[in-house]
Amino acid sequence: ASAAGVPVELTVPLTATLVRMRGTDEAPPRCVALKGELGVAVECSIYERRPGPCRDFAPYAPVGMGDDACDRARRRHGLPVL
Protein backbone atom coordinates (compact mmCIF):
# COMPACT_ATOMS: atom_id res chain seq x y z
CA ALA A 1 0.00 0.00 0.00
CA SER A 2 1.07 3.58 -0.53
CA ALA A 3 1.87 5.96 2.30
CA ALA A 4 -1.74 7.18 2.24
CA GLY A 5 -2.99 3.65 2.73
CA VAL A 6 -4.49 3.37 -0.76
CA PRO A 7 -3.87 -0.06 -2.28
CA VAL A 8 -1.10 0.34 -4.88
CA GLU A 9 -2.99 -1.75 -7.43
CA LEU A 10 -5.72 0.93 -7.52
CA THR A 11 -3.26 3.68 -8.47
CA VAL A 12 -1.31 4.91 -11.48
CA PRO A 13 2.08 6.55 -10.82
CA LEU A 14 2.46 10.15 -12.03
CA THR A 15 5.85 10.98 -10.53
CA ALA A 16 8.21 9.26 -8.12
CA THR A 17 6.09 10.50 -5.20
CA LEU A 18 2.64 11.19 -6.70
CA VAL A 19 -0.05 8.75 -7.81
CA ARG A 20 -3.55 9.06 -9.22
CA MET A 21 -6.47 6.72 -8.68
CA ARG A 22 -7.01 4.42 -11.68
CA GLY A 23 -9.86 5.59 -13.87
CA THR A 24 -9.71 9.25 -12.89
CA ASP A 25 -7.71 10.19 -16.00
CA GLU A 26 -10.06 8.39 -18.41
CA ALA A 27 -12.98 9.88 -20.33
CA PRO A 28 -15.39 9.99 -18.69
CA PRO A 29 -13.49 9.90 -15.39
CA ARG A 30 -14.55 7.24 -12.91
CA CYS A 31 -12.41 6.18 -9.99
CA VAL A 32 -11.82 2.44 -9.82
CA ALA A 33 -12.80 2.52 -6.12
CA LEU A 34 -16.26 3.96 -6.86
CA LYS A 35 -18.85 1.18 -6.74
CA GLY A 36 -22.50 1.38 -7.79
CA GLU A 37 -24.54 3.30 -10.34
CA LEU A 38 -24.24 7.09 -10.60
CA GLY A 39 -27.52 8.80 -9.83
CA VAL A 40 -28.81 5.74 -8.02
CA ALA A 41 -26.40 4.69 -5.27
CA VAL A 42 -22.61 4.84 -5.15
CA GLU A 43 -19.98 4.40 -2.49
CA CYS A 44 -16.24 4.43 -2.17
CA SER A 45 -14.97 0.89 -1.70
CA ILE A 46 -11.88 2.19 0.17
CA TYR A 47 -13.55 5.07 2.05
CA GLU A 48 -11.52 4.66 5.25
CA ARG A 49 -8.30 4.49 3.18
CA ARG A 50 -9.24 7.14 0.57
CA PRO A 51 -6.52 9.57 -0.52
CA GLY A 52 -6.22 13.20 0.59
CA PRO A 53 -7.89 14.77 -2.47
CA CYS A 54 -10.97 12.64 -1.82
CA ARG A 55 -11.00 13.67 1.82
CA ASP A 56 -10.86 17.32 0.74
CA PHE A 57 -13.53 17.02 -1.98
CA ALA A 58 -16.99 18.23 -0.90
CA PRO A 59 -16.36 17.85 2.85
CA TYR A 60 -19.90 19.05 3.64
CA ALA A 61 -21.75 16.83 1.15
CA PRO A 62 -22.90 14.43 3.91
CA VAL A 63 -24.89 17.31 5.44
CA GLY A 64 -26.30 18.42 2.09
CA MET A 65 -23.87 21.26 1.39
CA GLY A 66 -21.87 21.02 -1.81
CA ASP A 67 -19.01 23.13 -3.12
CA ASP A 68 -18.10 24.33 -6.62
CA ALA A 69 -16.08 21.21 -7.50
CA CYS A 70 -18.84 18.94 -6.24
CA ASP A 71 -21.48 20.92 -8.15
CA ARG A 72 -19.46 20.67 -11.39
CA ALA A 73 -18.99 16.93 -10.96
CA ARG A 74 -22.69 16.42 -10.28
CA ARG A 75 -23.66 18.48 -13.36
CA ARG A 76 -21.31 16.40 -15.55
CA HIS A 77 -23.31 13.34 -14.55
CA GLY A 78 -26.73 14.97 -14.95
CA LEU A 79 -27.33 15.17 -11.21
CA PRO A 80 -28.77 18.18 -9.37
CA VAL A 81 -26.33 20.22 -7.30
CA LEU A 82 -26.57 19.98 -3.51
Side-chain angles (χ1 to χ4, degrees), residues 53 55-61 64-75 81-82:
R55 292 177 185 279
D56 296 339
F57 186 80
Y60 300 111
M65 295 171 58
D67 62 16
D68 290 340
C70 178
D71 290 347
R72 287 190 304 274
R74 292 180 66 83
R75 278 196 285 285
V81 297
L82 296 177

Side-chain angles (χ1 to χ4, degrees), residues 44-64:
C44 176
S45 64
I46 60 165
Y47 188 80
E48 294 302 321
R49 298 172 69 187
R50 71 194 186 280
C54 296
R55 292 177 185 279
D56 296 339
F57 186 80
Y60 300 111
V63 294

Side-chain angles (χ1 to χ4, degrees), residues 30 34-43 73-82:
R30 181 174 174 119
L34 187 64
K35 302 299 178 196
E37 184 180 343
L38 290 173
V40 177
V42 294
E43 66 181 356
R74 292 180 66 83
R75 278 196 285 285
R76 274 196 311 272
H77 294 285
L79 299 171
V81 297
L82 296 177

